[in-house]
Amino acid sequence: MPPPLLRHLLRTTPSLAPVPHRSVLSITGSQSTEFLNGLLSSSVRESPRSQFSSFLHAQGRVLYDIFLYATTNGHFLEFDSRTSEAPPLLSYLKRHVLRSKVKVRSVTEEYDVWAAWGSSEDHAWETNRRWNWARSGAIEPVWTGSTEWPWGAQDCVIRDRRAVGMGRRLLVKKGETPQDVATHDITTTEEYILHRILHGVPEGISDVPPMHAFPMDSNLDVMGGLDFRKGCYVGQELTVRTYHTGVIRKRIIPVTIYKPTPDQGIELLGSSLPNLDIKPLSANAERQGPRPRGSGKLLSNQKGVGLALLRLEHIAAVQNGDLKLELEVPDEKDLSTWSVSPWWPDWWPCEEPPAVAEK
């Protein structure tokens, strides 16, 4: 649940929306499970199961965050196919096939991707979550309350467990509408983007820049996309080392972008302007000292709310009243300054991580 100021933006009625910029690959063959398990950052079981996961670079940075749909004939793999610094996923996978009994082909022209949320069906399978904390600050969900696979077992449907309230992810034959159309309102792609921003869910190259983003900074651990105990996969060494001996210093969290109005109200930023720097400043104008180190980055944003990659120390300082965050937005004549207020989604793990012993 977002702060009271933003709750009017949240769609709570059953809704359907097309998900933009997504392509789909088909991965089949007797060795497809073993093939995927050696490349993805989460475990791919012998009995095919749907899940959220990612491909990592050899140096541990994210190439693609993906959804893997298990089917009776193999897997469908859904990803953001916009041009980026990452190698095209189809050619990347084909380079790794070698002599494996695996066939990879694009089926993007056959399927559309939709999101569904807000129905009683979507709330019925949500269960309470427990969390495992690492000394580094990495966080893993522990699924409790059901013996079912958390991501579901239905063909071409995934329970979107990246955050509580996200709903379901659907693969639908090209040109058709989902079966839920009789009970759900069909809304826009922009409403889906707003939905995931309000739930604190980064997605695709706008929020997880390929070849640059680290998986834990981008919350892939919290969203269930990393397995720190599986065997070797591309990017595993640095990821596991960070889990055991590193420190998570940044996270992507929702922010409100606003400025005061003359009548003591609040004006929310109306335009969408990603990839702007968020500057930390002392909240006390009279306080002398060096400017806080580092800056944040505004990612996806709409209607005055967005996702931002911020240093955890800056978030804590804002909450303590020691720091403020500002954003300079270009307008017709010059730059206008807007305040940025971070907030944690209500589903975010609230258990304190174990204390690190001082040396």
Side-chain angles (χ1 to χ4, degrees):
M1 184 72 68
L5 174 68
L6 304 175
R7 288 178 189 168
H8 70 283
L9 299 175
L10 192 66
R11 285 185 70 94
T12 56
T13 57
S15 303
L16 283 166
V19 183
H21 313 305
R22 309 299 284 187
S23 290
V24 184
L25 301 180
S26 168
I27 302 175
T28 56
S30 60
Q31 295 180 313
S32 59
T33 299
E34 178 184 351
F35 170 74
L36 288 167
N37 193 55
L39 293 174
L40 287 171
S41 60
S42 57
S43 296
V44 183
R45 308 295 179 88
E46 196 60 48
S47 175
R49 290 178 171 179
S50 300
Q51 61 197 86
F52 171 69
S53 190
S54 66
F55 291 98
L56 304 182
H57 188 265
Q59 277 70 51
R61 299 181 187 245
V62 180
L63 292 178
Y64 293 92
D65 57 305
I66 64 100
F67 281 98
L68 188 67
Y69 300 76
T71 71
T72 52
N73 299 318
H75 296 88
F76 288 135
L77 194 156
E78 176 214 322
F79 65 103
D80 188 335
S81 57
R82 286 176 289 178
T83 302
S84 71
E85 293 184 34
L89 188 54
L90 180 59
S91 60
Y92 175 81
L93 293 179
K94 286 185 173 181
R95 288 204 308 270
H96 284 84
V97 169
L98 301 177
R99 297 184 180 181
S100 300
K101 295 179 180 178
V102 175
K103 182 178 180 180
V104 183
R105 65 185 182 92
S106 174
V107 291
T108 301
E109 298 304 315
E110 301 175 34
Y111 290 93
D112 292 321
V113 180
W114 289 73
W117 69 91
S119 71
S120 57
E121 175 188 351
D122 295 324
H123 298 305
W125 47 258
E126 280 285 6
T127 55
N128 292 328
R129 303 188 191 191
R130 292 189 299 108
W131 306 93
N132 279 342
W133 289 79
R135 292 170 64 87
S136 61
I139 311 169
E140 300 171 271
V142 179
W143 310 109
T144 59
S146 175
T147 58
E148 291 183 282
W149 181 244
W151 305 91
Q154 186 178 351
D155 278 8
C156 296
V157 178
I158 290 181
R159 296 173 177 175
D160 192 346
R161 306 303 295 268
R162 293 176 298 175
V164 175
M166 279 300 293
R168 288 166 292 134
R169 198 84 162 190
L170 317 171
L171 281 185
V172 180
K173 285 288 188 180
K174 181 71 71 174
E176 298 181 4
T177 53
Q179 293 181 349
D180 303 273
V181 69
T183 55
H184 289 59
D185 297 326
I186 294 183
T187 186
T188 63
T189 287
E190 289 70 25
E191 285 292 338
Y192 166 72
I193 295 173
L194 184 62
H195 172 69
R196 67 173 182 80
I197 289 173
L198 290 169
H199 285 79
V201 175
E203 177 179 290
I205 68 173
S206 298
D207 298 326
V208 190
M211 308 292 287
H212 295 279
F214 286 105
M216 278 84 92
D217 291 2
S218 302
N219 303 342
L220 298 190
D221 54 338
V222 183
M223 297 190 296
L226 300 176
D227 186 339
F228 298 104
R229 296 163 187 82
K230 67 176 283 190
C232 184
Y233 60 90
V234 177
Q236 182 233 20
E237 183 178 355
L238 182 60
T239 303
V240 173
R241 187 190 311 149
T242 302
Y243 175 84
H244 288 292
T245 64
V247 178
I248 311 303
R249 302 188 186 279
K250 298 179 181 179
R251 288 287 188 184
I252 293 176
I253 74 166
V255 296
T256 307
I257 310 162
Y258 69 97
K259 62 181 176 182
T261 59
D263 59 357
Q264 298 185 342
I266 293 293
E267 177 187 357
L268 296 176
L269 179 68
S271 55
S272 176
L273 296 164
N275 296 317
L276 295 179
D277 287 336
I278 298 173
K279 299 177 181 179
L281 301 169
S282 174
N284 186 349
E286 298 178 356
R287 182 180 174 182
Q288 299 296 320
R291 181 186 164 209
R293 63 177 180 173
S295 61
K297 183 70 71 175
L298 181 64
L299 307 169
S300 294
N301 61 97
Q302 284 190 17
K303 298 183 179 180
V305 292
L307 296 174
L309 178 64
L310 299 174
R311 296 180 69 90
L312 293 174
E313 63 183 281
H314 292 171
I315 298 170
V318 170
Q319 293 173 333
N320 291 333
D322 299 325
L323 205 67
K324 62 181 180 180
L325 301 176
E326 291 186 347
L327 185 72
E328 291 186 338
V329 176
D331 56 26
E332 294 180 358
K333 297 181 180 179
D334 200 357
L335 295 173
S336 58
T337 300
W338 294 74
S339 296
V340 176
S341 178
W343 46 275
W344 294 103
D346 61 356
W347 62 268
W348 188 267
C350 59
E351 178 186 352
E352 291 296 324
V356 178
E358 294 183 3
K359 295 183 179 179

